[in-house]
Amino acid sequence: MKKDDSVNVLGEVLAPCSTNPLTGFFRDGQCNTCAEDQGSHTVCAVMTAEFLAYSKYVGNDLSTPRPEFHFPGLNPGDHWCLCAARFLQAHDEGCAPQVNLAATHQRALEIVPLEILKRYAEEDT
């Protein structure tokens, strides 16, 4: 699998999203992507209790640990490379989490307009 260029939505070098928990399609701590990443795990999102409950409700339980997949389960405050379509769905439902723009891959823009991502920008990005 060949990674796409590591460029963020601001046109800069992609910043790390999280190494604890370790995130990303490649589990490299960044929201890097490639053609094989069908879910476009490109949005570096900051988990909230509301979003985690919403995600579980729509069938993607991100809060329950799954040791068999080396997945610790996410908690509010954790950063995670979220599927761009799930982020947009959460936006449409009024419960989207904050976003680290510097760590969000430019491929997210194929699904989520930059204007929407900017509405959820973390204060320190």
Side-chain angles (χ1 to χ4, degrees):
M1 290 184 283
K2 182 183 181 309
K3 287 182 191 176
D4 289 3
D5 291 341
S6 296
V7 177
N8 67 27
V9 295
L10 305 172
E12 302 164 346
V13 174
L14 187 66
C17 183
S18 175
T19 56
N20 186 22
L22 188 59
T23 191
F25 181 76
F26 292 97
R27 288 301 188 260
D28 60 0
Q30 293 187 296
C31 297
N32 281 304
T33 190
C34 65
E36 290 81 5
D37 179 10
Q38 298 298 311
S40 187
H41 296 80
T42 51
V43 176
C44 182
V46 184
M47 297 296 102
T48 63
E50 180 184 31
F51 175 77
L52 289 169
Y54 169 76
S55 189
K56 186 174 184 176
Y57 174 75
V58 295
N60 188 18
D61 183 359
L62 295 172
S63 53
T64 301
R66 298 290 304 268
E68 67 272 27
F69 299 117
H70 307 288
F71 180 68
L74 301 178
N75 296 297
D78 287 344
H79 287 66
W80 191 252
C81 293
L82 192 60
C83 293
R86 177 70 75 206
F87 174 84
L88 187 58
Q89 181 184 22
H91 160 73
D92 291 345
E93 296 291 333
C95 59
Q98 284 191 309
V99 173
N100 179 335
L101 294 176
T104 296
H105 197 281
Q106 67 180 355
R107 286 265 315 269
L109 298 176
E110 294 174 5
I111 298 168
V112 185
L114 183 58
E115 300 73 38
I116 291 176
L117 289 170
K118 283 183 173 180
R119 281 189 223 161
Y120 297 94
E122 277 186 300
E123 294 300 319
D124 59 348
T125 61

